[in-house]
Structure formats: C-alpha cells, structure tokens
Amino acid sequence: MIDVRLFATLPMRSTSGRKEFALEPRPGLTVGEIVDAEGLRRTDVHIVMINGKHGSLDSELDDGDRLGLFPPVGGG
Amino acid sequence: MRRILRVDVAAGTTAFEDLPAEWTLRGGRSLTSTIVSNEVDAAVDPLGPDNKIVFAPGLLSGTTAPNSGRLSVGTKSPLTGGIKEANSGGQAAMRLARLGVAAIIVEGDPGDKKWVLHLSKDGARLDDGAPYWGTGNYECAAALRAAYGEKVATIQVGPAGEMGYKNSSVAVTDPEGNPARHAGRGGTGAVMGARGLKAIVADDAGTERPEAVDKERFAVARKTLVDGLKSHPVTSQGLTNYGTAILVNIINEAGGLPTHNFTSGRFDGAEAISGETVHQNCEDRGGKREHACMTGCVIHCSNVYNDKDGNYVSSGVEYETIWALGANCDNADIESIAQMDRLCDDLGLDTIEMGDTFGVAMEGGVLPWGDAARMIELFEDIRQGTELGRKLANGCVHAGAEFGVTRVPAVKGQGIPAYDPRAVKGIGVTYATSTMGADHTSGYAVATNILKVGGDVDPLASEGQCPLSNGLQQATVLFDSAGLCVFLAFAALDQPDSLAAIPELISAQYGVPFGLDQIGPYGETLLSIERDFNRRAGFTEKDDRLPAFFSTERLPPHDVIWDIPDSELDQVCGWSPVLEM
Ligand code: SF4
C-alpha cells in the first residue's frame, strides 16, 4: 500500500477532506494523479515528500512508499 | 536626528551623543556589533563590570516599512564567550526609533543599585528599579504599565537574567503588552541583569515617525514590498494561517526533526504537537491563530494560545519552542509545551536552549524522557535557584558537564535549534560558521533545502551548502540591521522586486545611495567585524565545527551523517583579513 498524508490547508481543499489514507499501488501511478484524484489543483501542492525526500508531481510511487503533500509553508 | 544614549548605571546618569556620520547606515545588528567591537574588550568577563549591553532599533524601525520593528540586543555573550546579537519583535524598537534613539549603550558597575531606564520625548532618566526586581516578566510588565502608562513598550529582564543564568533572555512587550517576544539567545538577559537594569520603558507619546529623506521613493519601495508580501504564498497564506509551527510536520517528514536529544529525525508524536493541532486549539478555545507581534506586521505568524478553559497561556507558541520542549524531549503533550513556553517567557529563559538542556539532562538520567510534569516542576527550581535549578539554567553545555553527558548539541557553547544538521545540511553550515554560535536565524538555509523557497538545494547532499549558507548569512545581516523580520525573506528570496525594495527603502529613508549590489559587501563587512571580535576572544577555526557525534552517529530515517569537509567550512568562516567598516 501507499501511505498518503496531506498537510496544512490541503485536506480542507480536497474533495474527501482526508488527512491520511492508504492507496492501492498500481504501475506508473504518479503523485500528480493522486493530487487530481483528491480534487486538488496541482498548483496547490508546493512540496512533495516521498519517503522523506523531495519528489515532484511526476514522481512515480511504489508499494510501501510514504507520500507527504504540502502547500507553500514557512517558518523558523 | 538619530542619537546614541549612553547610560552609566554606576553614576545613575544618562547622556545623549551624536551618532557619528560614518554610522548613518548602521542600525540594529550592524550598530550593536560595531559598538560592542569598538568598546568592549574581547577578553572581558561577560558577566563582570566591564561588559556592556547595547540596544538598537533597525534602520527602518519606526517607519511605515512592513515588519520593521525588530530590536537588536548586542553584547559579549556569557553563553558563547563571543560577540552576540539577539533580536526580538515587539513594540520597543519602533518606540525607540520615534524617540530618535539609534542605540542605547548601558555600562558601568551598578553595585547594589537596581534601575529602570525611562525614555520619553522629554529625555532619558534612571528611576529606582528595586520595586520591580525579583518579579517575573508578566508581573513586571503589568507593574510598569501601571506606573508609566498603558501605552509604553518595555524591554525587560526576568528572574533568570537577574540571577545571572547564562540561559537568559531579554523580553520585549507585544502590542497587547505581554512580554512574549524575546531576544532569546546567548544569555543577554544576564548581562542586562549584571548592569542592575531591570527594564527600559519607552514612551513615544508626542513623537513623530522618522521621516524619509526621499518620501516618494520610500512610498514606491514600500508598496512594492507590501504587495510582494501579500502575493507570495508563504507570507500571505502559509505563515499567516499556521504560523511557524506548521514546520513540525514538514521537518518531521523530511527526517530532520531532532528527537530524543538528536538521535532520530522523526518523532512519533509529531502530529499531536503539530501546527495543525496548535491552529485547531487556538481556534477552538477563543485564542487567535493569527497574531502580529508588532504593529505594522503584514504577515501575522504569531498566535494566541489559550488553555482548555479559554484562559490565555502564551502568545506565540512557535515551532522552535514546540520542538525544543516537545520532540527533543520525547514530549508529545502540547498543553505542557504551551505552559513551559509561558514559564520561559516569564522567567526570561530561551526556549531553544532550555529544550537542548532538558534533552541532555534526560540523557544523563536526571529526569525520565517525556516527563512533562517533572519538566514543569523544574522551572520552579530554576526560579528558586536551587542547586539543580542552576545546573539546568546555564545552557546545555553546562548541563552536559554537570551531568556527565558528552552528546551535547551545541556550537560555540550555544545549543543547536530545531533542524538536525545531518538531514538539513545547509543549516548545519550556518550552525557551524555563524558568529553567534548555533543559530538558525543567521542564515536560514532550511528555506532552500526543505521549503523550496529561494531555489532548491538538496538537503541531504553536501554540494552547494557552503555558498548557500554564506550568501544567506550576508543577506541576513542586512535584515537584522534594518530591523526587518527575517520572514520577509520568504518573499524576497523568490521575488527580485521585493528584494530590491529593501535596500531602496534604506536608501530613500537616509538619502544615500544603497543598492542591491551592496547587500553582500554590507553583510561581509559586518561579519568580518564579528569574526574579528570572536578571534580576539580566543576562537579559532576549531570552534566552527559541529559536535563530533554528528559525524559518527547515523541519523534515522535517512541514516545520514554530517560530512561537509572542514576545509569548505573554513572558506565560509572567512579566516581571512578583516575589512574596514
Ligand atoms: S511575521 Fe511573525 S515574527 Fe515577523 S513581525 Fe510578524 S508576527 Fe512578528
């Protein structure tokens, strides 16, 4: 399974409102497709983390991956 | 006309001096560091009679430039033994600027005397501070308002500074009068306490804004910057909606959230202490999820945190604090963190140094991991000055020596903040090479490493981190000298027009040429002065290193070590000739 987590404003903007869910893997599945499926605009997502490393909307996901999606955030 | 106020706490006198013409473009950090470098012997005992403490609003403080009310506090640091500039938000800097004060230099041996420095349009004087001595920052702020008027801004030292603790801050009141903003790092509070100075009261009634020499150019540049801040998604939405605490989840995802005294980059309890949780609690309990720490801030990254019964606890439960007293100590209880934030603010303790200290104490078996109730109890020991309290209130290096712990996360004696340098290597370079000791704000490479603002440099790679940190450290000098909140950089790093507006504002305000191409040299000149002071204080290139365990212990989940070569660090550190200012 793929572990998907949406942070900050993203769950509120998505159609399902889910913060965290598991997704059945399939060959060639990209981050962008998950963003689309959640009803988010691709431009809403600024940071993509796959297993703690930066990815992109085009990155493909494998079984067991942990995906984190963030809007633009800052702090310090 | 900007002037310097010299305060002699031995004689109880104050005197204004003209600001030297060659210091027209010195303000905030560039003024405090220049004065400390010129007037304080680098070899003095930081808590002895010969050290001085300098307060300076930024070059743009008091003007209509957005987020321009940072106050710089400069001294020789009791924590690092080197030069220190710690800055804070709050209302004081703009009040001082409106009073025409470029800097306040406090010097002399007060003996047993305690003072409150009062400034108004009628001048400056020292009043008896004894009635306030011994009070916590909240009680003190309320008493000063009652005595001097509801609208004054105050700069204060809490019990930690009075008692000479090396972990002690200088507090500044926010727009509501709460002493919740702090020049936290490096023990500036102890130097203020050693001068017998409990507080500075700034009353700007009857004063005007400092006027720009070129009002039209100033207005245009101001609009450019404000528009930039209001259009950049981080400064108009990210920071505004969630504050800095939003970083808990992203730094945790990135595997760089120091947990259990820097043994892991992920914390199981992250969600419970996340920005999302803080945001919800602020909203549900009648607090505020948006709060400005100073008038004129257009970002509002701060919050007002209430307890479950709706009573005010603290203003600005922020990322660094949540990390320090939370993840670093295996504590996933956000209520206890907010409570400890309040205790730190009241006592005048730096939350980052406190969290590093608790982590070391837990590693030494002084208290169990994650025991928030015991942590809260220990603040009473610190307030009372018990033997254990003293061991905990002098920073993490001191605690390591007391408790026999060698894994101490510090550089130049100052505790490492909320990003593990093994997983966010750019900020590691800043920790190692900053003149201030481990200080994330002095070159915030996290923006580029993790947040993808101002470019994209892989946080786990060693390439590119030194030039990144170097450039950021130089630019940060200008922000710190202008009195600008460093969060403006989130917009300025991505928007060339917003960046250019900053030197333009300074140029228009003072009627002197100052452009984009001078940001680097301005920063480098000042960094050279600070490095020269540190060298005279005994620092060598060996002090520009991270603790050895970062190079030997692998950090999960990425299993990374600190591997930036010393030779590269030394290029940043500028073991090079000192420039003339
Ligand atoms: S952005 Fe935050 S720290 Fe900066 S001035 Fe505004 S409230 Fe203060």
Side-chain angles (χ1 to χ4, degrees):
Chain A
M1 298 301 277
I2 299 165
D3 174 14
V4 183
R5 295 162 197 234
L6 273 58
F7 294 98
T9 44
L10 294 182
M12 287 171 246
R13 291 187 185 177
S14 76
T15 32
S16 73
R18 293 180 295 182
K19 280 187 182 172
E20 186 173 352
F21 53 94
L23 207 67
E24 199 73 50
R26 63 174 165 77
L29 176 67
T30 65
V31 175
E33 286 164 353
I34 297 176
V35 171
D36 297 343
E38 283 301 296
L40 291 164
R41 287 179 304 184
R42 290 189 175 213
T43 48
D44 287 342
V45 176
H46 183 64
I47 300 164
V48 175
M49 291 274 191
I50 303 167
N51 304 321
K53 296 188 180 171
H54 288 86
S56 72
L57 292 167
D58 300 328
S59 301
E60 292 186 12
L61 295 161
D62 292 325
D63 195 14
D65 279 347
R66 167 169 167 163
L67 172 67
L69 300 173
F70 296 83
V73 292
Chain B
M1 187 59 197
R2 294 157 79 219
R3 293 185 297 173
I4 290 176
L5 176 66
R6 196 173 287 275
V7 178
D8 180 343
V9 293
T13 56
T14 63
F16 281 100
E17 299 168 5
D18 289 340
L19 183 75
E22 66 270 25
W23 289 357
T24 299
L25 288 186
R26 299 282 162 261
R29 175 178 173 186
S30 65
L31 192 52
T32 63
S33 285
T34 302
I35 291 170
V36 169
S37 174
N38 284 0
E39 296 196 11
V40 176
D41 182 341
V44 299
D45 171 3
L47 296 180
D50 296 326
N51 198 7
K52 303 186 183 189
I53 185 163
V54 185
F55 303 85
L59 288 166
L60 294 173
S61 298
T63 73
T64 57
N67 300 50
S68 57
R70 300 290 295 185
L71 178 76
S72 289
V73 183
T75 192
K76 174 173 174 172
S77 164
L79 192 70
T80 69
I83 200 162
K84 174 56 62 181
E85 184 266 356
N87 60 61
S88 170
Q91 298 295 79
M94 63 188 88
R95 300 280 158 86
L96 293 179
R98 289 175 64 118
L99 289 161
V101 173
I104 302 170
I105 304 173
V106 184
E107 60 192 21
D109 183 352
D112 293 334
K113 292 189 285 285
K114 310 297 176 203
W115 300 112
V116 167
L117 173 64
H118 180 264
L119 289 106
S120 71
K121 67 176 187 340
D122 301 322
R125 63 165 198 270
L126 282 168
D127 289 349
D128 182 16
Y132 307 96
W133 200 259
T135 59
N137 275 320
Y138 273 85
E139 186 186 341
C140 182
L144 289 168
R145 275 201 309 281
Y148 291 99
E150 283 302 313
K151 289 195 172 152
V152 299
T154 58
I155 302 166
Q156 311 173 174
V157 61
E162 292 178 11
M163 291 194 271
Y165 292 153
K166 288 182 187 169
N167 176 5
S168 52
S169 64
V170 168
V172 181
T173 49
D174 69 10
E176 290 76 31
N178 290 315
R181 314 309 301 190
H182 291 252
R185 311 231 61 200
T188 55
V191 185
M192 187 164 166
R195 300 278 73 74
L197 184 61
K198 178 66 177 172
I200 299 172
V201 176
D203 181 352
D204 67 350
T207 61
E208 304 285 332
R209 283 188 190 288
E211 273 203 0
V213 171
D214 189 335
K215 292 191 200 65
E216 261 167 51
R217 268 206 303 137
F218 189 94
V220 171
R222 177 185 180 274
K223 183 168 186 324
T224 303
L225 184 55
V226 171
D227 288 351
L229 293 168
K230 291 197 165 158
S231 67
H232 192 282
V234 170
T235 49
S236 66
Q237 296 162 38
L239 274 167
T240 307
N241 289 333
Y242 286 97
T244 61
I246 196 66
L247 291 185
V248 172
N249 273 329
I250 187 160
I251 304 300
N252 189 55
E253 261 326 279
L257 186 70
T259 301
H260 198 93
N261 189 28
F262 291 80
T263 52
S264 172
R266 285 240 176 100
F267 178 48
D268 287 341
E271 183 56 34
I273 60 169
S274 68
E276 287 86 339
T277 302
V278 169
H279 175 101
Q280 199 61 49
N281 290 351
C282 286
E283 215 160 60
D284 293 350
R285 299 172 181 180
K288 282 186 188 168
R289 57 177 178 75
E290 256 187 64
H291 175 250
C293 80
M294 61 173 76
T295 307
C297 164
V298 300
I299 301 176
H300 302 186
C301 82
S302 180
N303 54 37
V304 175
Y305 197 89
N306 289 353
D307 65 15
K308 289 183 175 131
D309 302 324
N311 302 310
Y312 172 87
V313 180
S314 194
S315 180
V317 177
E318 299 191 17
Y319 171 65
E320 301 291 331
T321 301
I322 292 172
W323 158 76
L325 301 163
N328 194 48
C329 299
D330 289 358
N331 175 24
D333 174 18
I334 190 68
E335 308 313 326
S336 73
I337 294 169
Q339 223 180 318
M340 287 189 270
D341 183 46
R342 168 63 177 263
L343 287 164
C344 284
D345 285 355
D346 195 45
L347 286 160
L349 295 160
D350 172 33
T351 56
I352 296 174
E353 196 66 42
M354 210 54 239
D356 281 326
T357 304
F358 275 127
V360 165
M362 287 172 181
E363 181 144 344
V366 177
L367 69 165
W369 287 102
D371 189 344
R374 181 68 184 135
M375 290 166 79
I376 289 170
E377 271 174 23
L378 287 169
F379 282 93
E380 196 48 35
D381 281 74
I382 292 174
R383 196 188 289 267
Q384 299 296 334
T386 67
E387 196 184 330
L388 182 54
R390 287 175 187 277
K391 289 177 181 171
L392 292 166
N394 284 288
C396 63
V397 171
H398 181 89
E402 290 283 355
F403 304 137
V405 174
T406 52
R407 289 181 76 264
V408 178
V411 181
K412 298 185 181 71
Q414 180 167 293
I416 293 183
Y419 315 86
D420 197 297
R422 289 164 289 191
V424 194
K425 292 190 200 287
I427 201 70
V429 175
T430 299
Y431 295 158
T433 60
S434 168
T435 49
M436 298 295 148
D439 176 359
H440 64 293
T441 66
S442 62
Y444 193 66
V446 178
T448 318
N449 277 177
I450 305 284
L451 306 175
K452 304 305 168 201
V453 173
D456 182 357
V457 175
D458 180 359
L460 299 170
S462 50
E463 294 76 43
Q465 308 294 2
C466 285
L468 172 66
S469 170
N470 194 25
L472 289 170
Q473 289 191 55
Q474 290 174 350
T476 302
V477 169
L478 185 68
F479 280 82
D480 292 346
S481 302
L484 293 174
C485 168
V486 80
F487 293 162
L488 297 193
F490 284 110
L493 286 169
D494 278 340
Q495 301 168 335
D497 288 351
S498 297
L499 182 62
I502 292 170
E504 177 70 1
L505 282 166
I506 295 170
S507 170
Q509 180 69 21
Y510 293 99
V512 291
F514 193 70
L516 258 186
D517 56 342
Q518 276 149 294
I519 295 179
Y522 186 91
E524 194 50 39
T525 303
L526 199 269
L527 289 169
S528 295
I529 287 174
E530 293 177 346
R531 287 178 190 130
D532 176 59
F533 183 95
N534 283 352
R535 225 167 286 163
R536 286 184 279 131
F539 286 96
T540 70
E541 69 270 24
K542 300 262 184 317
D543 295 294
D544 291 333
R545 303 287 181 260
L546 297 185
F549 76 86
F550 288 108
S551 309
T552 55
E553 292 180 18
R554 292 195 169 271
L555 181 78
H558 295 306
D559 287 318
V560 276
I561 56 166
W562 172 250
D563 54 3
I564 305 237
D566 292 349
S567 57
E568 281 186 37
L569 293 178
D570 288 344
Q571 284 168 18
V572 182
C573 302
W575 291 93
S576 59
V578 179
L579 304 175
E580 288 303 317
M581 190 112 188

